[in-house]
Amino acid sequence: MYDEILLTTDGTECSVQAAKHGLAFAEAFDAAVRIITVINVQAAGGLFDAGGVTADYVESLESRGQKMIDEIADLAAPTTTVRTEVLKGIPSDSILEYAEKESFDLVVLGTHGRTGVQRVLTGSVAEHVIRHADVPILTVRERDERVEPSFERILVPTDGSEYAQQAVEHGLSVAEAFDATVHALYVVDTGIIAPRLEDHIPETVRAALETEGKTAIEAVESQARRTSVETVTSLTEGVPEREILAYADEHDIDLITMGSHGRTGLDRFLLGSTTERVLREAPSPVLSVRKPVTDE
Ligand code: ATP
Ligand code: MN
């Protein structure tokens, strides 16, 4: 599933945490990793009133970048092939361009998690890459506890769409690699039918959605049967992102694997609203998978 994994660092503790997760993936999948950092020379140049950026200064930025990269490379398993590169440019653009040019199978990004109302995907870097990249992305939010990556329980929320189906495949592969259990979850979306009357959905509508949910969950189970992965299934009712987050919390989920889009599937929205909200608040890392355009 993953042969080449891209790790990005800006030297922050958060990016180191994310990289550790990426390295765990690399080890489990026997993938090669590339570790990069992007030096924004132009922004750094803004510090100088006149005269621009000196070659010495650029050099010092480069060696600082290389140090940040090396710190992560040192954490790699001895069996993992590691290559590194210091890039110059605007971080969000450079990472995106690099990920696509070199066709990585997975990009790992750290996001600064803040509890509460604040936006979680900080700086535009993670957000920009998640919205625009065609590559599956593993985002790891900054958090205090559970720093060592472990993947025992993987949540795969599905709305039965092809996007979700794509994510199921990733969830199962990851589960196989880490010998984890997959939790398939379908949420009967009460919000779309009766935003104000969550408890009063017409019975016929609820029944239809439940049937759809069962089909979606069975699809996961039948896919899982082709592997050695154990599955647990659940069908709940409510607002999808809230149910997904609550489930992840209650079941101590280690990874959520979901589609970049779902049933609405409008590409003009660069990211589906369920995934966007889960990314902002997830207690665990999230692997978001975009459906390849070629499949359409
Ligand atoms: P939107 O709902 O914002 O109009 P969308 O339907 O294209 O857009 P999302 O709802 O964000 O996109 O779907 C993204 C992913 O979220 C899906 O691939 C699936 O993994 C998960 N998901 C969405 N809805 C549900 C649901 N009702 N139950 C379980 N998982 C869901
Ligand atoms: Mn949706």
Side-chain angles (χ1 to χ4, degrees):
M1 185 60 90
Y2 313 111
D3 295 323
E4 296 272 349
I5 300 176
L6 178 62
L7 310 183
T8 55
T9 180
D10 57 3
T12 57
E13 177 54 24
C14 172
S15 71
V16 175
Q17 287 309 327
K20 278 190 188 173
H21 286 76
L23 290 172
F25 266 56
E27 209 179 342
F29 284 92
D30 200 15
V33 300
R34 186 85 50 94
I35 312 170
I36 62 164
T37 189
V38 184
I39 294 172
N40 196 341
V41 179
Q42 237 168 357
L47 299 169
F48 295 82
D49 293 316
V53 186
T54 64
D56 271 0
Y57 187 64
V58 173
E59 222 168 83
S60 81
L61 287 178
E62 277 174 342
S63 72
R64 188 144 52 106
Q66 189 61 49
K67 255 169 102 180
M68 299 184 313
I69 289 173
D70 291 342
E71 193 187 320
I72 289 165
D74 286 344
L75 302 172
T79 47
T80 303
T81 305
V82 178
R83 284 168 64 194
T84 67
E85 199 164 339
V86 176
L87 307 175
K88 289 195 208 82
I90 298 163
S92 52
D93 291 342
S94 299
I95 292 171
L96 196 57
E97 215 174 277
Y98 195 82
E100 301 199 325
K101 183 184 71 184
E102 305 257 337
S103 61
F104 287 95
D105 307 299
L106 183 67
V107 176
V108 183
L109 299 168
T111 65
H112 298 278
R114 293 196 181 85
T115 44
V117 286
Q118 252 173 309
R119 276 178 81 76
V120 164
L121 302 178
T122 49
S124 39
V125 177
E127 182 154 355
H128 184 80
V129 177
I130 290 163
R131 285 176 189 279
H132 293 92
D134 279 336
V135 187
I137 296 177
L138 178 67
T139 40
V140 180
R141 265 183 59 192
E142 187 172 42
R143 56 195 169 155
D144 307 327
E145 83 287 16
R146 277 212 303 187
V147 281
E148 292 314 313
S150 102
F151 301 99
E152 286 172 37
R153 287 166 298 275
I154 300 176
L155 175 58
V156 183
T158 175
D159 59 358
S161 66
E162 280 189 53
Y163 287 94
Q165 204 52 31
Q166 185 91 4
V168 168
E169 275 171 40
H170 283 260
L172 286 170
S173 294
V174 175
E176 230 177 350
F178 289 101
D179 199 17
T181 306
V182 159
H183 293 238
L185 170 68
Y186 177 93
V187 183
V188 171
D189 188 347
T190 53
I192 45 166
I193 318 153
R196 273 158 230 264
L197 305 167
E198 288 191 11
D199 301 326
H200 304 283
I201 312 175
E203 257 331 297
T204 47
V205 177
R206 174 180 282 130
L209 286 174
E210 275 178 12
T211 307
E212 181 188 88
K214 280 180 192 139
T215 309
I217 280 169
E218 273 161 24
V220 180
E221 282 181 312
S222 76
Q223 249 176 290
R225 254 177 254 123
R226 283 183 244 136
T227 69
S228 56
V229 175
E230 259 180 61
T231 53
V232 176
T233 65
S234 178
L235 198 146
T236 62
E237 191 176 303
V239 178
E241 62 267 17
R242 267 192 245 151
E243 294 296 315
I244 292 167
L245 290 167
Y247 189 100
D249 219 23
E250 275 161 33
H251 294 81
D252 215 2
I253 291 295
D254 302 304
L255 175 73
I256 304 174
T257 304
M258 57 200 303
S260 63
H261 294 80
R263 270 163 39 108
T264 312
L266 293 178
D267 267 338
R268 73 190 156 86
F269 297 114
L270 297 169
L271 201 59
S273 61
T274 311
T275 298
E276 177 158 11
R277 289 175 196 138
V278 169
L279 275 170
R280 285 187 192 169
E281 288 175 47
S284 70
V286 179
L287 176 59
S288 59
V289 183
R290 196 169 288 271
K291 187 166 147 248
V293 182
T294 45
D295 274 5
E296 286 177 352

